[in-house]
Amino acid sequence: MNEQVAAKIAEEYLSRWRRIAIYDELAVMEENGDKDWANITGEDGREYKVLAYVLPEADRALRLVIAVNDRVPRGAIAPATRTVVMRPGGTYVE
């Protein structure tokens, strides 16, 4: 896995999620254990899997996690990840 390409993909997906995410929808996603995933081709021509999921944080905040891994069997040992925390009012904690 090209870590720089995977990191760029993770940052792009996190940026996209930040623009469209609604707290109530993320809360349902976390409650149901839902995950959103996509298989994409990186700028290096390799296949990557992008996984988005939500974890609970203190004070009802939610952590959105974007993880990017190559699609080779067993994948990379540690995926490239990016996270952001959203408060119940819809604001983000950096």
Side-chain angles (χ1 to χ4, degrees), residues 4-54:
Q4 291 175 330
V5 172
K8 183 177 178 183
I9 293 168
E11 290 165 8
E12 289 170 356
Y13 268 74
L14 183 62
S15 176
R16 187 176 312 153
W17 273 88
R18 285 180 65 133
R19 286 191 307 273
I20 64 171
I22 298 170
Y23 178 85
D24 291 340
E25 291 175 0
L26 292 181
V28 169
M29 193 174 172
E30 187 276 323
E31 183 178 317
N32 294 335
D34 293 339
K35 295 175 176 60
D36 185 67
W37 62 272
N39 293 317
I40 67 162
T41 301
E43 63 185 32
D44 59 354
R46 298 181 76 179
E47 294 292 319
Y48 292 88
K49 182 173 187 171
V50 181
L51 179 65
Y53 58 96
V54 181

Side-chain angles (χ1 to χ4, degrees), residues 44-89:
D44 59 354
R46 298 181 76 179
E47 294 292 319
Y48 292 88
K49 182 173 187 171
V50 181
L51 179 65
Y53 58 96
V54 181
L55 299 172
E57 289 282 321
D59 298 324
R60 296 182 32 236
L62 299 170
R63 179 174 300 275
L64 174 60
V65 180
I66 305 294
V68 178
N69 208 342
D70 57 9
R71 295 201 53 219
V72 176
R74 292 183 283 166
I77 294 173
T81 58
R82 298 294 184 269
T83 68
V84 67
V85 174
M86 182 186 275
R87 292 185 176 128

